[in-house]
């Protein structure tokens, strides 16, 4: 049931009516049932996966609450994590690893057994939610919570398929008696509309141009591949952050506030800022709190810290492998590349700090800020090429064709046969960047609220017309639903 379908809006309307008709303390049950219906809409068997993970979490939580000996509690923690994360790894990688091993050792295809199953949509997200719940329960960071609220924490339908990856201490207290005040409803509708604009107007209009170039990388011109790479950076951003905006907006309609997951990432001044503070924030914090800090975090010497950073990004690459563009080595390369950028940044940070102290006016200049933003964006862009490519060889081919023709790109750009799709895509990206830059300085919601009523409603109607005229409705799934 896609967020961009009429079916979803009919479902949402019914769920909101039932929610409003119930007393606040009973609403969690209707929300849980709505989440089950939502997840089972495409394939009822998906509920078996979600139900299995929920049972593991509930059992682990009950055992951790009763156990007094540290050894028993550690055993429960290890068993629950092994069950949840082991299932995730098996569903994602078992068949891929079997095929790779057969190739390495020259075995006939099919020699090694196959699981014959893949992770259902959203499994990576609710598996990590489940793992964080068990870890927090083991660390005694969770309040006493009814069983039904725990199940809803895992299954809440707006975040179920592509996050954000919520934490128990943040979401669980809100489930006792969710209420949506008028301000929350207005903000929720605004986020819902903005998310739809990002997805169906920007991301899905860019997608065909990206798909075409990457599908014929060997035959596409260097400029076509460069344009497709830029377009993909904004396609994946608008697709994923659009999902998040819709998830946050729908949750606000029910009286729940999910955590922020994006903060204008392409305005980052470093790769570390991009991944740590602006892109997929919930996943970045998950890896920081449950992997990087236990490995020593910033408390250890630089070589070990860099090793930990690289491990985090490689594991992140593995987490992203899924149904979207298959399970392959491209995600490992993508993760390792971003890990390398962050490690170089960590190693050179003292040098830049000394230069900044020596040249304070230059350090804070707008020119340097713009240069840092552009450099960061293009480092991220190199990684996105491997993220999108079907194979490592395809990704390298795209980059090598672009790199070997850099000097010719101005001439190629002047003579390229641009289509209306290219022009529309470029204009949409430009408008998005204007909104993001303005939002960085002062939230757009506040700006709109200060406008005269006629101007404010003109902006809403312009967005509505864009949805109607340019929207590619129910054409594509959200990319991260498949990871």
């Amino acid at each position: 049931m896609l967020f961009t379908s009429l079916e979803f809006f009919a479902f949402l309307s019914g769920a909101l009516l039932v929610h409003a008709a119930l007393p606040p303390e009973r609403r969690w049950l209707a929300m849980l049932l709505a989440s089950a219906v939502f997840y089972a809409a495409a394939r009822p068997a998906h509920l078996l996966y979600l139900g299995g993970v929920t049972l593991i979490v509930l059992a682990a939580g009950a055992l951790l609450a009763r156990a007094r000996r540290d050894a028993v509690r550690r055993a429960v923690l290890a068993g629950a994590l092994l069950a949840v994360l082991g299932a995730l790894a098996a569903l994602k990688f078992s068949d891929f690893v079997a095929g790779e091993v057969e190739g390495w050792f020259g075995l006939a295809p099919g020699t090694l057994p196959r699981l014959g199953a893949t992770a259902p949509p959203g499994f990576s997200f609710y598996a990590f939610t489940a793992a964080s719940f068990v870890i927090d329960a083991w660390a005694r960071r969770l309040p006493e919570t009814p069983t039904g609220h725990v199940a809803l924490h895992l299954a809440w339908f707006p975040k179920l398929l592509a996050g954000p990856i919520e934490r128990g201490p943040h979401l669980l207290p809100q489930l006792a008696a969710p209420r949506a005040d008028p301000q929350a409803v207005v903000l929720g509708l605004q986020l819902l509309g903005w998310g739809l604009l990002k997805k169906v107007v920007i991301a899905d209009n860019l997608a065909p141009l990206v798909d075409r170039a990457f599908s014929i990388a060997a035959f596409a011109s260097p400029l076509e591949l460069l344009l497709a790479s830029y377009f993909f950076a904004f396609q994946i951003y608008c697709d994923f952050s659009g999902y998040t905006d819709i998830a946050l907006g729908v949750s606000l309609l029910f009286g729940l506030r999910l955590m922020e997951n994006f903060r204008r990432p392409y305005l980052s001044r470093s790769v570390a800022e991009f991944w740590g503070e602006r892109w997929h924030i919930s996943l970045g914090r998950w890896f920081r709190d449950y992997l990087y800090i236990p490995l020593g975090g910033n408390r250890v010497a630089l070589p070990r810290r860099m090793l930990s950073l690289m491990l985090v990004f490689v594991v992140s690459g593995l987490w992203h492998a899924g149904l979207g563009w298959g399970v392959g080595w491209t995600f490992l390369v993508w993760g390792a590349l971003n890990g390398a950028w962050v490690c170089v940044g960590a190693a050179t940070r003292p040098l830049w700090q000394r230069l900044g102290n020596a040249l304070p006016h230059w350090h804070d200049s707008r020119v340097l800020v713009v240069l840092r933003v552009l450099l960061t964006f293009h480092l991220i862009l190199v990684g996105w090429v491997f993220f999108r490519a079907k194979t490592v060889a395809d990704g390298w081919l795209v980059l090598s064709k672009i790199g070997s023709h850099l000097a010719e790109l101005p001439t190629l750009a002047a003579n390229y046969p641009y289509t209306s799709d290219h022009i529309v895509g470029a204009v949409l990206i430009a408008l998005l960047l204007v909104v993001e830059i303005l939002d960085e300085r002062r939230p757009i919601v506040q700006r709109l609220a200060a406008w005269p009523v006629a101007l404010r409603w003109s902006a809403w109607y312009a967005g509505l017309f864009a949805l109607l005229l340019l929207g590619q409705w129910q054409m594509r799934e959200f990319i991260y639903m498949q990871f």
Side-chain angles (χ1 to χ4, degrees), residues 5 26 29 37 39 52 88 150 152 193 195 206-207 234 252 274 282 317-318 329 354 372 450 453 466 472:
S5 67
R26 298 292 183 188
L29 180 57
V37 170
Y39 199 46
L88 176 63
V150 176
L152 178 57
L206 295 174
F234 288 95
L252 282 171
F274 181 92
S282 62
L318 290 173
W329 296 104
R354 286 196 294 271
R372 290 179 64 187
V453 173
Q472 304 295 316

Side-chain angles (χ1 to χ4, degrees), residues 221-346:
S221 70
L223 185 64
E224 184 177 4
L225 293 173
L226 180 62
L227 290 173
S229 299
Y230 281 124
F231 284 174
F232 178 68
F234 288 95
Q235 178 202 352
I236 193 169
Y237 168 54
C238 289
D239 190 288
F240 192 14
S241 68
Y243 180 100
T244 297
D245 289 338
I246 295 171
L248 268 63
V250 169
S251 295
L252 282 171
L253 300 181
F254 287 88
L256 300 181
R257 292 184 176 271
L258 302 185
M259 69 175 294
E260 184 182 21
N261 213 21
F262 287 89
R263 192 179 297 134
R264 301 166 296 283
Y266 289 145
L267 301 182
S268 302
R269 302 182 188 186
S270 69
V271 177
E273 180 186 344
F274 181 92
W275 291 114
E277 302 175 29
R278 290 181 179 265
W279 180 280
H280 205 348
I281 298 169
S282 62
L283 181 66
R285 290 180 180 174
W286 196 100
F287 278 118
R288 179 196 67 189
D289 295 343
Y290 300 122
L291 184 56
Y292 179 66
I293 291 177
L295 289 172
N298 294 331
R299 303 184 306 275
V300 298
L302 181 60
R304 183 176 166 186
R305 188 160 77 244
M306 293 172 69
L307 183 62
S308 298
L309 284 169
M310 185 58 72
L311 177 62
V312 166
F313 277 94
V314 168
V315 174
S316 175
L318 290 173
W319 180 89
H320 282 82
L323 298 176
W325 291 293
V327 178
W329 296 104
T330 52
F331 293 100
L332 270 179
V333 173
W334 170 76
L337 265 176
N338 283 286
W341 305 148
V342 173
C343 287
V344 169

Side-chain angles (χ1 to χ4, degrees), residues 35-381:
S35 299
V37 170
F38 175 85
Y39 199 46
R43 189 177 178 187
H46 290 164
L47 283 177
L48 296 177
Y49 294 91
L50 179 58
V53 171
T54 302
L55 289 175
I56 292 170
V57 167
L58 292 174
L63 291 172
L64 288 170
R66 296 175 184 175
R68 295 292 177 264
R69 296 174 54 193
D70 287 342
V72 174
R73 301 185 85 252
R74 284 194 296 269
V76 172
L77 171 67
L81 293 180
L82 181 62
V84 173
L85 300 182
L88 176 63
L91 289 168
K92 274 181 174 282
F93 304 115
S94 60
D95 290 359
F96 170 75
V97 170
E100 291 296 298
V101 171
E102 289 170 351
W104 293 338
F105 293 98
L107 302 175
T111 301
L112 298 178
R114 301 294 199 273
L115 187 62
T118 57
F123 193 92
S124 297
F125 288 90
Y126 60 77
F128 267 34
T129 301
S132 67
F133 180 91
V134 173
I135 295 171
D136 289 341
W138 171 77
R140 297 186 173 91
R141 290 193 287 258
L142 295 176
E144 289 189 17
T145 308
T147 298
H149 291 186
V150 176
L152 178 57
H153 169 59
L154 292 173
W156 178 229
F157 74 86
K159 72 174 184 65
L160 181 61
L161 299 179
I165 302 172
E166 278 291 339
R167 306 288 187 84
H170 178 249
L171 185 58
L172 285 170
Q174 300 183 56
L175 302 181
R179 291 182 176 87
D181 59 73
Q183 285 186 329
V185 171
V186 171
L187 179 58
L189 292 174
Q190 291 172 342
L191 283 170
L192 177 58
W194 180 231
L196 289 172
L197 279 168
K198 283 183 178 178
K199 168 60 176 172
V200 303
V201 174
I202 303 179
D204 287 355
N205 274 299
L206 295 174
L209 297 168
V210 174
D211 292 347
R212 181 184 182 280
F214 275 88
S215 66
I216 57 167
F219 307 100
S221 70
L223 185 64
E224 184 177 4
L225 293 173
L226 180 62
L227 290 173
S229 299
Y230 281 124
F231 284 174
F232 178 68
F234 288 95
Q235 178 202 352
I236 193 169
Y237 168 54
C238 289
D239 190 288
F240 192 14
S241 68
Y243 180 100
T244 297
D245 289 338
I246 295 171
L248 268 63
V250 169
S251 295
L252 282 171
L253 300 181
F254 287 88
L256 300 181
R257 292 184 176 271
L258 302 185
M259 69 175 294
E260 184 182 21
N261 213 21
F262 287 89
R263 192 179 297 134
R264 301 166 296 283
Y266 289 145
L267 301 182
S268 302
R269 302 182 188 186
S270 69
V271 177
E273 180 186 344
F274 181 92
W275 291 114
E277 302 175 29
R278 290 181 179 265
W279 180 280
H280 205 348
I281 298 169
S282 62
L283 181 66
R285 290 180 180 174
W286 196 100
F287 278 118
R288 179 196 67 189
D289 295 343
Y290 300 122
L291 184 56
Y292 179 66
I293 291 177
L295 289 172
N298 294 331
R299 303 184 306 275
V300 298
L302 181 60
R304 183 176 166 186
R305 188 160 77 244
M306 293 172 69
L307 183 62
S308 298
L309 284 169
M310 185 58 72
L311 177 62
V312 166
F313 277 94
V314 168
V315 174
S316 175
L318 290 173
W319 180 89
H320 282 82
L323 298 176
W325 291 293
V327 178
W329 296 104
T330 52
F331 293 100
L332 270 179
V333 173
W334 170 76
L337 265 176
N338 283 286
W341 305 148
V342 173
C343 287
V344 169
T348 58
R349 187 173 295 118
L351 171 63
W352 294 115
Q353 288 175 342
R354 286 196 294 271
L355 285 174
N357 293 333
L359 304 167
H361 297 296
W362 173 246
H363 180 265
D364 296 326
S365 71
R366 292 185 179 181
V367 173
L368 184 59
V369 169
V370 171
L371 290 175
R372 290 179 64 187
V373 168
L374 289 174
L375 175 61
T376 299
F377 173 78
H378 284 89
L379 290 175
I380 296 297
L381 185 69

